[in-house]
Amino acid sequence: MRARLTASRERIIDAALGVLAEHGYAGCSVAAVAARAGVATGSVYRHFPTKADLFAEVFRTASQREIDAVTRAAAAAEGTAAARIQAVIETFAGRALRSPRLAYALLAEPVDPAVEAQRLVFRRAHATLLAGYIAEGVAGGELPPQNPELTSTAVVGALAEAMVGPLAAGVAGPETIGGLVTVIHRALGVPS
Amino acid sequence: MRARLTASRERIIDAALGVLAEHGYAGCSVAAVAARAGVATGSVYRHFPTKADLFAEVFRTASQREIDAVTRAAAAAEGTAAARIQAVIETFAGRALRSPRLAYALLAEPVDPAVEAQRLVFRRAHATLLAGYIAEGVAGGELPPQNPELTSTAVVGALAEAMVGPLAAGVAGPETIGGLVTVIHRALGVPS
DNA sequence: CCAAGAAATGAATGGTGGTTCAATCCTTGG
DNA sequence: CCAAGGATTGAACCACCATTCATTTCTTGG
């Protein structure tokens, strides 16, 4: 049945996500994913032409979930650029702190070049979202003139580094989020 | 002769750096490095117990060079935190823009976990340097109170992302550096 | 000039893990 | 109930390097 096919495809993606979140990309052999999904190694290849294709999709799915959450939070915030950007930071960081292994995998862990491309899309999507709010803030006079592309890229880098950077263990706690909001608001020129 | 040994060790490191800068870590098979160094594959193992050891040293060497340059530039700048940090940004970014492939390899490219550790040291060293100046600035009243560790980590992330991030091609031009200085100065609370 | 030992060589080895495929098992339309 | 077609299986295959080592080529102290 068609449903069976789709279901096992889903199961494989879920399994891959699970292995990713537990053991990182390094632990993601096709055999391990298949075992977790409860299918044979070879069956993975009925659904995905290549390991890289599988993980490109896994990354796409997981990233989309993150981006959706952030986008929703930003949309729900008050209308100022400062409030929307604060929502982005808090959502992004809050979720990353709740699933650090997954955050590391999505943001920084070594992966195939093909999968790396998806990561860029992920980071890019966050930057684009931020750039929009920054541009609005500039247009409305809430923020000083600046290049929204550059600023948003810098903000994404700052967020990622603070979450998974070398200091992650020492720096990333709940109190980090407030600090990040302050620093980033200052960086954008949000009036105190 | 002893000199011969040291010389060929150097040649191997240089060759590895060359392959790294030209073809990235992915192109760095031991055979490729050996060929470029003009030695046999096996000879690499007279100098380094392991490929990871070789590249740990390559990263250490290259990173030290970067850190030295940045440290020197900062020390030569005027005594304000703002000036020193501006020197760090300009030096870091200027060098990265001049050798983008190497910058990508040092900052972001997928590598062995063993080598990854060196990368963390690299980023950490930059953050520590910045944290010192930020702390001085705070202590001297030039900058508002803040957590220098967090701020410096964020700054390193912002710099790295702006240099090698997804938008690198579109964002990173010489004019980027000035923009980064502005954004980061604002982030630190340097009074305009 | 000559061993003797160190250094260099590069083909062979071994392990890893993605990918394939012949055999088997289901599902389903007749 | 029965083929026929597709889905599933998992062991075998293969490519790709890192690493090794028997052999050859220096270097050097006597």
Side-chain angles (χ1 to χ4, degrees):
Chain A
M1 215 188 217
R2 197 57 67 84
R4 228 184 193 354
L5 262 201
T6 324
S8 90
R9 189 190 156 89
E10 291 287 298
R11 271 222 315 296
I12 291 168
I13 291 181
D14 280 357
L17 202 52
V19 178
L20 193 64
E22 267 173 37
H23 308 289
Y25 191 75
C28 286
S29 69
V30 173
V33 171
R36 186 179 180 119
V39 301
T41 318
S43 303
V44 171
Y45 287 85
R46 182 154 307 276
H47 300 283
F48 303 93
T50 263
K51 187 195 183 184
D53 286 288
L54 163 58
F55 278 92
E57 174 132 3
V58 169
F59 268 63
R60 215 175 45 64
T61 304
S63 302
Q64 196 57 54
R65 199 179 295 169
E66 298 304 312
I67 289 160
D68 287 349
V70 162
T71 304
R72 225 174 306 117
E78 316 169 30
T80 64
R84 296 209 193 276
I85 287 162
Q86 174 167 357
V88 169
I89 298 168
E90 287 175 348
T91 308
F92 178 93
R95 293 176 63 90
L97 292 181
R98 233 171 291 127
S99 319
R101 198 76 179 71
L102 183 61
Y104 174 65
L106 289 178
L107 288 167
E109 192 178 20
V111 295
D112 300 13
V115 179
E116 184 80 17
Q118 273 306 315
R119 178 136 77 203
L120 301 195
V121 172
F122 177 48
R123 288 184 169 230
R124 198 69 215 94
H126 283 294
T128 302
L129 180 70
L130 283 169
Y133 292 132
I134 294 170
E136 279 175 22
V138 171
E142 183 189 346
L143 302 180
Q146 60 195 285
N147 177 349
E149 290 301 317
L150 176 59
T151 312
S152 64
T153 300
V155 168
V156 169
L159 282 173
E161 183 81 8
M163 290 302 110
V164 302
L167 266 190
V171 161
E175 77 287 358
T176 301
I177 300 182
L180 279 172
V181 171
T182 307
V183 173
I184 292 172
H185 271 182
R186 263 207 309 261
L188 303 181
V190 173
S192 50
Chain B
M1 216 191 219
R2 197 55 67 83
R4 228 183 193 355
L5 262 201
T6 323
S8 90
R9 191 190 154 88
E10 293 286 299
R11 270 220 317 295
I12 291 169
I13 292 180
D14 280 358
L17 200 54
V19 179
L20 193 65
E22 268 174 36
H23 309 290
Y25 191 74
C28 285
S29 68
V30 174
V33 170
R36 189 182 177 114
V39 302
T41 318
S43 304
V44 171
Y45 288 84
R46 181 154 306 277
H47 300 283
F48 304 93
T50 262
K51 187 194 184 186
D53 286 288
L54 163 59
F55 278 91
E57 173 132 3
V58 168
F59 268 65
R60 215 176 44 63
T61 304
S63 301
Q64 197 56 54
R65 199 179 295 167
E66 298 304 312
I67 290 160
D68 287 349
V70 162
T71 305
R72 223 174 306 116
E78 318 169 32
T80 64
R84 295 209 194 278
I85 288 161
Q86 172 166 359
V88 170
I89 299 168
E90 288 174 348
T91 308
F92 179 93
R95 293 177 63 91
L97 291 182
R98 232 169 293 126
S99 319
R101 200 73 180 73
L102 183 61
Y104 175 65
L106 289 179
L107 288 168
E109 191 179 12
V111 295
D112 300 14
V115 178
E116 186 81 17
Q118 272 306 315
R119 175 138 75 205
L120 300 196
V121 172
F122 177 48
R123 286 185 170 230
R124 198 69 214 93
H126 283 294
T128 302
L129 180 71
L130 282 168
Y133 292 131
I134 294 170
E136 279 176 23
V138 171
E142 183 189 346
L143 302 179
Q146 60 196 285
N147 176 349
E149 291 300 315
L150 177 58
T151 313
S152 64
T153 300
V155 169
V156 169
L159 282 174
E161 182 81 8
M163 290 301 110
V164 303
L167 266 190
V171 162
E175 77 286 0
T176 301
I177 299 182
L180 279 172
V181 171
T182 307
V183 172
I184 292 172
H185 271 181
R186 264 205 309 260
L188 303 182
V190 172
S192 50

